């Protein structure tokens, strides 16, 4: 897998701030290059950019995108689109195909998603055929795709680095030029 981008549909600024932030953080941790937000919420961009500033890496956030245009552009550049939905095919049945993609857009909703997304997607994929959380759906999908690889990629340029410890907190403050 070379490139993964996350597309977040249906974000409602008045009620989805926390969960959309967590979708972005989870995608970042597991190797996505960025998140496209198909709603206007500068606050989400700010809070994710704050995390990237402190914890490193190059994760980008694009606010208020036109999702159809983004999907069209992605596909024109040879990318594939995986929409996560409890109505889709089972993740284990398509994991091998997803792993083969060089460019994969993972799409998650918040409220009811626009029906055309089911047609635009190359795969509609269920992480179990029960309703649950977009954060869990992203985490499990990306983890299955990355099977065998380290959980975390590198996050260069961070202000802070955690040193894994059996107990307590060990954090290094990095000196930057
Ligand atoms: N009520 C909404 C609907 O009917 O479309 C779904 C809300 S759900 C909390 C938000 C998002 O989480 C969904 O759009 C989907 O991307 C993801 N999701 C929830 N359960 C899922 C599942 N079992 N498999 C895959 N994705 C799931």
């Amino acid at each position: 897998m070379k490139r993964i981008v996350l597309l977040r549909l249906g974000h409602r600024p008045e009620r989805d701030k926390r969960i959309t932030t967590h979708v972005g953080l989870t995608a970042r941790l597991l190797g996505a290059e960025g998140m496209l937000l198909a709603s206007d919420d500068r606050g989400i961009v700010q809070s994710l950019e704050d995390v990237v500033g402190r914890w490193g890496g190059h994760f980008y956030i694009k606010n208020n995108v036109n999702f159809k245009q983004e999907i069209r552009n992605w596909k024109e550049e040879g990318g594939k689109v995986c929409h996560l939905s409890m109505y889709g095919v089972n993740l284990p049945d398509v994991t091998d195909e997803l792993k083969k993609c060089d460019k994969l857009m993972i799409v998650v909703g918040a409220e009811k998603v626009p029906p055309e997304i089911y047609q635009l997607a190359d795969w509609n994929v269920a992480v179990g055929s029960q309703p649950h959380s977009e954060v869990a759906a992203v985490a499990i999908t990306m983890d299955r795709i990355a099977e065998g690889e380290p959980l975390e990629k590198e996050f260069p340029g961070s202000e802070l680095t955690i040193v894994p410890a059996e107990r307590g907190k060990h954090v290094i403050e990095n000196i930057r030029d």
Side-chain angles (χ1 to χ4, degrees), residues 28 32-34 52 56-61 153-157:
R28 170 182 172 270
E33 65 182 36
V52 174
H58 304 290
F59 191 78
Y60 60 78
I61 309 100
K153 57 172 189 159
E154 297 285 306
F155 292 96

Side-chain angles (χ1 to χ4, degrees), residues 84-87 107-113 125-128 130-134 137:
L84 299 180
S85 162
M86 65 177 171
Y87 304 104
V107 185
V108 286
E111 55 179 353
K112 205 169 185 310
V113 294
V125 175
V127 183
Q130 301 289 324
H132 54 86
S133 152
E134 46 272 56

